[in-house]
Amino acid sequence: MKIRRALLDDAERLYEIEKECFTFEALSREQIVSFIRDKDSTALVAQVNGEIAGFIIGKIYTANGKHAGHVITIDVAVKHRRKGVGKQLLEALERIFLEKGVKFCYLEARADNISALNLYRKMGYVELEKLEGYYGDVHGIRMRKNLRAP
Ligand SMILES: CC(C)(COP(=O)(O)OP(=O)(O)OC[C@H]1O[C@@H](n2cnc3c(N)ncnc32)[C@H](O)[C@@H]1OP(=O)(O)O)[C@@H](O)C(=O)NCCC(=O)NCCS
């Protein structure tokens, strides 16, 4: 598996995977393009045998002089799941955040998204707060991890 920065030419494939992963709340093609272009965002793809199997988008926010990383989305195509793609994408994003001096990474997940919650817990994320009504029908869970160099 190879992890690399997403290119504008990848946008169509990323959009295809996004629609496969999320029926509601999917990012639009235009949003994906703007994240790839945005200098404060990091968009990475995982390639398996030359095919894009999944991607992750993260962004660094600064408040009161402090930087925090945020996972905007993580998507793995159905046929590539449960092979470590999600874990490797998240690890790669965390490494980039660390290189940029970011000490914390935040993310949100639906309370019923067992695969995502398991992945995040396994990766060391801890639950911070319950987000009532965050996804309309189901509440969200905000999680945080203290990033440390290995
Ligand atoms: C969540 C998602 C990114 C995981 O990607 P993945 O490549 O399949 O995950 P990995 O193979 O790296 O799994 C790592 C760990 O996560 C957990 N996990 C992943 N899928 C799981 C599942 N279906 N059921 C239970 N635990 C799961 C396991 O602990 C797994 O470790 P293990 O395989 O050694 O048991 C993927 O299921 C996905 O794209 N889902 C749709 C989009 C989505 O919900 N994104 C997250 C939004 S918050």
Side-chain angles (χ1 to χ4, degrees):
M1 189 187 320
K2 178 184 165 189
I3 308 250
R4 62 162 174 82
R5 296 265 179 181
L7 307 169
L8 281 175
D9 280 352
D10 300 324
E12 199 53 45
R13 171 66 180 147
L14 303 200
Y15 182 53
E16 195 179 285
I17 298 174
E18 176 76 7
K19 283 187 296 176
E20 194 179 300
C21 289
F22 300 101
T23 32
F24 303 102
E25 305 141 2
L27 294 174
S28 66
R29 190 189 284 103
E30 293 68 31
Q31 284 173 308
I32 291 173
V33 166
S34 67
F35 277 122
I36 296 173
R37 284 205 171 112
D38 178 18
K39 65 173 179 42
D40 294 323
S41 298
T42 301
L44 304 173
V45 302
Q47 267 183 312
V48 175
N49 298 327
E51 182 185 58
I52 296 180
F55 69 99
I56 191 165
I57 299 175
K59 190 169 170 99
I60 295 173
Y61 294 95
T62 305
N64 305 322
K66 292 194 174 148
H67 310 298
H70 199 119
V71 178
I72 307 283
T73 195
I74 175 167
D75 300 39
V76 176
V78 173
K79 72 170 179 172
H80 291 285
R81 286 191 190 157
R82 217 61 200 265
K83 294 173 186 160
V85 176
K87 182 170 179 284
Q88 290 203 38
L89 281 166
L90 194 49
E91 283 171 351
L93 180 67
E94 289 174 357
R95 274 197 301 275
I96 291 173
F97 281 162
L98 264 174
E99 283 163 17
K100 294 186 176 185
V102 169
K103 302 275 192 308
F104 299 102
C105 185
Y106 292 85
L107 51 81
E108 290 84 27
R110 285 175 65 102
D112 61 357
N113 192 342
I114 303 302
S115 35
L117 290 170
N118 279 352
L119 166 66
Y120 301 148
R121 288 184 187 121
K122 192 170 186 174
M123 295 277 300
Y125 286 79
V126 292
E127 294 173 23
L128 267 192
E129 57 180 323
K130 183 175 171 182
L131 305 164
E132 290 292 351
Y134 196 73
Y135 295 100
D137 52 339
V138 178
H139 70 260
I141 298 175
R142 176 163 292 140
M143 304 177 90
R144 183 175 83 169
K145 178 176 177 178
N146 295 358
L147 301 179
R148 283 192 199 91

